[in-house]
Amino acid sequence: MAYKNRVELIPLKFRRIEVGEDVIEILCSLIRRNRLKLKDGDVFAIADKVLAFYEGRIVDYQNMPVSEDAIRLAKRYNLEPGFVQLVLNESEKVFGGVERALLTLTRGILMANAGVDHKNAPPGKAALWPKNPTLLAYKIRVELEKRFGKRLAVIIVDSKVNPLRRGTVGIAIGFSGLVPVIDCRGKKDLFGNSLKITFMNVVDDLAAMAHLLMGETIESTPFVLIRNAPITLTEENYSDEVKISENDCLVLNSLKEYYYCPRTGA
Amino acid sequence: MAYKNRVELIPLKFRRIEVGEDVIEILCSLIRRNRLKLKDGDVFAIADKVLAFYEGRIVDYQNMPVSEDAIRLAKRYNLEPGFVQLVLNESEKVFGGVERALLTLTRGILMANAGVDHKNAPPGKAALWPKNPTLLAYKIRVELEKRFGKRLAVIIVDSKVNPLRRGTVGIAIGFSGLVPVIDCRGKKDLFGNSLKITFMNVVDDLAAMAHLLMGETIESTPFVLIRNAPITLTEENYSDEVKISENDCLVLNSLKEYYYCPRTGA
């Protein structure tokens, strides 16, 4: 039987993509080859990695000049100096790190190694995030809408780690065409209580859904079509709505404050 | 056409649940009423909130004795003292907070307000997490498997905030029947590079998928069936695999260290 409200995730597999290939053309050909009849509200999740190849942001970090800072951080966190230099170039802030990873702020997003990644990049090279993920998501969405005549959304997906959790989950580093966050403040719950502080992060839930199918190794699934998701389409640019400041952030603000153990009072 | 590898999310809606109702019976009746023919590998995502009603963990916080600590924290973070007392009772650690939320460690998970929640609880009362989410997920899975004769997985979903992101995403606070994290270390990527540090967090990606359908207000969707997800079933208890220590945690370890701005050197 059919479930009217079911959400579908359709993985679109492709061979390994090379530098300079036109990712929009590839996606369009996959849509046609798989005979997907697009519908209004379809969301395309795209792995940031293939967009690095598309934009030529695949960098040889082994032969680049490095700063004193890069050398120092590389030594401390067991990373290659050239790789660290790339991370510094891509970062607004570096908060510290653990073995083989720095915690950085890049384009307003908290991320391991500023999104600079060896995985599925040619040996000795690293892939960088799109220069402007919001603009790129917009460009791809508009092109897809033009070709297929439907109202769509696009999210660009990278993977990230969460505090005290092992392993990566998906995050939307750029998006276009949908409202990213639902403001639930003032809405009533099932008991008629009015919600006071809750927002719901739609784009990161969607990114996590896609990430599960994209995988981390040889899944070769750079695109996932998400169909019938409960989203609101928009032409507005809401790219800043999903980011908050350090002072408004529960995690960052709390960890900068004091540390309290209710069991011991220490 | 059918897409062989597509993943499906089927929301199972129900009316508001009351304290003491048998959530397992409700889920089973919904499965039958919706004529879902279960398959091996089906994952049931269950909202933690309905399990609070099931276990009777709905607490009147307005008339409970409170400690000095609770009064102090309530004042500082604009919360009710009884509510804060509940949070302290449920917490292993409190890291600090922002307006109306404390950052806590509870059952090894970093969470706002220790998972204690007013939303969709009777006025003046709050819902607590299951006493033992792992054991409860196991109990529900075994009961479902017995009744339907299929190998299943169960995850218990709450919502949480991520650093520097606005709004909640899903997190699996308990699960049973599936391998929660894929260890990608040593696996080869598309270029033959060997992965060095990557794990993939399957349960939290799944929880985020379900959270999108469960919503935060009056969605009345306490259960989501996730079908055809790329998971590995297991009888083993992997509940600790998805948690890491503060020292191994990129976010917590980094924020306790130093603070470095590559742009200014400060």
Side-chain angles (χ1 to χ4, degrees):
Chain A
M1 69 172 287
Y3 309 101
K4 232 188 286 178
N5 297 315
R6 91 185 150 182
V7 176
E8 293 180 349
L9 297 176
I10 300 167
L12 299 175
K13 288 177 176 280
F14 194 67
R15 62 163 167 75
R16 196 175 88 189
I17 288 171
E18 308 295 337
V19 173
E21 284 198 87
D22 187 334
V23 165
I24 301 178
E25 285 298 335
I26 290 170
L27 175 54
C28 290
S29 73
L30 283 172
I31 291 167
R32 285 193 214 96
R33 195 191 302 169
N34 286 282
R35 289 183 206 161
L36 295 170
K37 280 202 65 155
L38 298 196
K39 299 177 184 174
D40 286 339
D42 280 352
V43 180
F44 282 97
I46 305 177
D48 73 308
K49 187 62 56 69
V50 292
L51 298 174
F53 284 89
Y54 175 52
E55 286 194 336
R57 287 171 63 75
I58 306 291
V59 184
D60 179 347
Y61 60 82
Q62 292 183 322
N63 299 304
M64 64 188 294
V66 295
S67 63
E68 290 293 319
D69 284 335
I71 293 168
R72 179 171 57 82
L73 290 166
K75 206 167 176 179
R76 179 160 182 173
Y77 296 107
N78 189 21
L79 290 160
E80 289 166 275
F83 181 83
V84 172
Q85 187 61 53
L86 278 184
V87 172
L88 295 183
N89 296 350
E90 291 286 308
S91 298
E92 288 120 42
K93 284 180 185 167
V94 178
F95 291 96
V98 294
E99 175 87 3
R100 299 197 64 76
L102 296 165
L103 182 68
T104 61
L105 187 74
T106 183
R107 295 171 187 72
I109 299 174
L110 199 72
M111 183 57 54
N113 294 332
V116 182
D117 192 4
H118 303 275
K119 282 196 308 295
N120 286 311
K125 296 186 177 178
L128 311 183
W129 272 6
K131 275 219 158 110
N132 186 333
T134 302
L135 194 63
L136 183 55
Y138 172 78
K139 181 181 154 187
I140 295 171
R141 174 175 71 85
V142 167
E143 184 63 30
L144 291 174
E145 289 186 337
K146 203 175 74 185
R147 295 202 195 187
F148 294 97
K150 300 294 173 189
R151 291 194 66 201
L152 307 170
V154 165
I155 60 176
I156 299 175
V157 176
D158 195 3
S159 57
K160 62 143 191 160
V161 291
N162 281 331
L164 298 185
R165 302 296 272 180
R166 193 186 308 283
T168 55
V169 295
I171 181 175
I173 64 167
F175 55 88
S176 179
L178 78 171
V179 177
V181 172
I182 299 170
D183 185 353
C184 304
R185 292 174 305 173
K187 292 192 185 180
K188 299 273 192 239
D189 69 14
L190 292 171
F191 288 88
N193 303 310
S194 193
L195 271 61
K196 292 206 175 79
I197 57 168
T198 304
F199 289 80
M200 185 166 151
N201 183 335
V202 173
V203 281
D204 286 341
D205 275 344
L206 289 169
M209 292 170 72
H211 176 252
L212 188 67
L213 301 194
M214 290 173 170
E216 292 284 356
T217 55
I218 53 165
E219 289 81 356
S220 295
T221 305
F223 313 104
V224 175
L225 168 56
I226 305 173
R227 174 159 284 173
N228 205 23
I231 60 163
T232 302
L233 295 172
T234 181
E235 290 294 320
E236 297 290 312
N237 174 359
Y238 279 102
S239 61
D240 289 333
E241 296 296 304
V242 74
K243 299 173 189 172
I244 57 175
S245 72
E246 288 178 41
N247 284 342
D248 291 333
C249 173
L250 178 62
V251 178
L252 268 72
N253 194 52
S254 298
L255 293 176
K256 276 190 209 156
E257 289 207 8
Y258 65 109
Y259 195 95
Y260 173 78
C261 298
R263 296 268 186 269
T264 63
Chain B
M1 69 172 288
Y3 309 101
K4 233 187 285 179
N5 296 314
R6 91 187 149 180
V7 176
E8 293 180 349
L9 297 177
I10 300 167
L12 299 174
K13 287 177 177 282
F14 194 66
R15 61 163 168 75
R16 196 176 88 189
I17 288 172
E18 307 296 336
V19 172
E21 285 199 86
D22 187 334
V23 165
I24 301 179
E25 284 300 335
I26 290 170
L27 176 53
C28 290
S29 73
L30 284 173
I31 291 168
R32 285 193 213 94
R33 194 191 303 167
N34 285 282
R35 290 183 205 160
L36 294 170
K37 280 201 64 155
L38 298 195
K39 299 178 184 174
D40 286 339
D42 279 352
V43 181
F44 282 98
I46 304 178
D48 74 307
K49 187 61 58 66
V50 291
L51 298 173
F53 284 88
Y54 176 51
E55 288 194 335
R57 287 171 63 74
I58 306 292
V59 184
D60 178 346
Y61 60 83
Q62 291 183 324
N63 299 303
M64 64 187 295
V66 296
S67 64
E68 289 293 319
D69 284 335
I71 293 168
R72 180 172 56 82
L73 290 167
K75 204 165 176 181
R76 180 160 179 173
Y77 295 108
N78 190 22
L79 290 159
E80 288 165 277
F83 181 82
V84 171
Q85 188 61 54
L86 278 185
V87 172
L88 295 183
N89 296 349
E90 291 286 308
S91 298
E92 289 120 41
K93 283 180 187 166
V94 178
F95 290 95
V98 294
E99 174 86 3
R100 299 197 65 76
L102 294 165
L103 183 69
T104 61
L105 187 74
T106 185
R107 298 171 186 70
I109 298 174
L110 198 73
M111 182 59 53
N113 294 333
V116 181
D117 193 4
H118 304 274
K119 283 195 307 293
N120 286 310
K125 297 187 177 177
L128 311 183
W129 272 6
K131 275 220 159 110
N132 186 332
T134 301
L135 194 63
L136 183 55
Y138 172 78
K139 181 181 153 187
I140 296 171
R141 174 175 70 86
V142 167
E143 185 62 31
L144 292 174
E145 289 186 338
K146 202 174 75 184
R147 297 202 193 185
F148 294 97
K150 300 294 175 189
R151 293 193 64 201
L152 307 170
V154 165
I155 61 176
I156 299 175
V157 176
D158 195 4
S159 57
K160 63 145 191 158
V161 290
N162 281 332
L164 297 186
R165 303 295 272 180
R166 192 186 309 282
T168 56
V169 295
I171 180 173
I173 65 166
F175 55 85
S176 179
L178 78 170
V179 177
V181 172
I182 299 170
D183 184 354
C184 304
R185 292 174 305 172
K187 292 191 185 180
K188 299 272 192 239
D189 70 13
L190 293 171
F191 288 88
N193 303 310
S194 193
L195 270 61
K196 293 205 176 77
I197 56 168
T198 304
F199 290 80
M200 185 166 151
N201 185 334
V202 173
V203 281
D204 285 341
D205 274 345
L206 288 168
M209 292 170 73
H211 176 252
L212 188 67
L213 300 194
M214 289 173 172
E216 294 283 354
T217 56
I218 53 164
E219 289 81 356
S220 294
T221 305
F223 314 104
V224 175
L225 168 56
I226 306 173
R227 174 159 285 174
N228 204 21
I231 60 162
T232 302
L233 295 173
T234 180
E235 290 295 320
E236 298 288 313
N237 175 358
Y238 279 102
S239 60
D240 288 334
E241 296 295 305
V242 74
K243 298 171 189 171
I244 57 176
S245 72
E246 287 179 41
N247 285 341
D248 291 334
C249 172
L250 177 62
V251 177
L252 268 72
N253 194 53
S254 299
L255 293 177
K256 278 191 209 156
E257 289 207 7
Y258 64 108
Y259 196 94
Y260 175 78
C261 297
R263 296 266 187 271
T264 62

